[in-house]
Amino acid sequence: MHETIRVNREATGPDSCRVAVSGELDLVTAGEVRQALQRAVGDNRVVVIDLGELTFCDCTGLSALLAAARTAQAAHVELRLCAVPCFLARILRLSGTRDAFTVEEKRDRP
């Protein structure tokens, strides 16, 4: 059975937000996440993507995250990943894409 994805956006300041992504980020769900992240980057100067509840990520999920990073860089938006699960940290390292992101070691709040 396929786990659904949940994407929750919460304002954290006048030009900043936190986007919490939970569940499986894969071929089935990457489009939804890609669109949500593109909107967040388009509307804010600082975007934190909270991945603490992410349970899986495949190459299409990684592609969605990288698309957000490219859009953020082009728009001079600060994009950070927080609470990156070990499996995703490994994917970022092995794929050579770790430097596309600013990665926070811990969440700012529980």
Side-chain angles (χ1 to χ4, degrees):
M1 185 171 144
H2 190 272
E3 185 178 333
T4 60
I5 194 83
R6 288 172 304 286
V7 182
N8 296 311
R9 179 172 156 183
E10 173 186 354
T12 56
D15 289 324
S16 63
C17 73
R18 174 179 302 272
V19 180
V21 180
S22 57
E24 296 181 0
L25 179 49
D26 59 16
L27 179 64
V28 175
T29 62
E32 178 182 345
V33 172
R34 182 184 299 259
Q35 290 176 353
L37 294 178
Q38 295 297 325
R39 284 191 303 269
V41 167
D43 295 343
N44 294 279
R45 303 308 312 154
V46 177
V47 177
V48 176
I49 305 172
D50 184 340
L51 300 169
E53 299 298 320
L54 192 69
T55 58
F56 178 81
C57 184
D58 69 5
C59 60
T60 55
L62 177 59
S63 176
L65 295 173
L66 289 169
R70 284 190 300 275
T71 301
Q73 183 178 18
H76 305 287
V77 172
E78 183 181 345
L79 179 75
R80 300 190 312 256
L81 303 181
C82 78
V84 177
C86 291
F87 67 85
L88 181 56
R90 184 171 191 252
I91 290 170
L92 293 172
R93 183 177 47 83
L94 293 174
S95 65
T97 58
R98 165 64 176 80
D99 291 340
F101 304 98
T102 299
V103 178
E104 298 176 355
E105 295 304 316
K106 297 180 181 179
R107 289 181 182 162
D108 291 337
R109 61 194 176 121

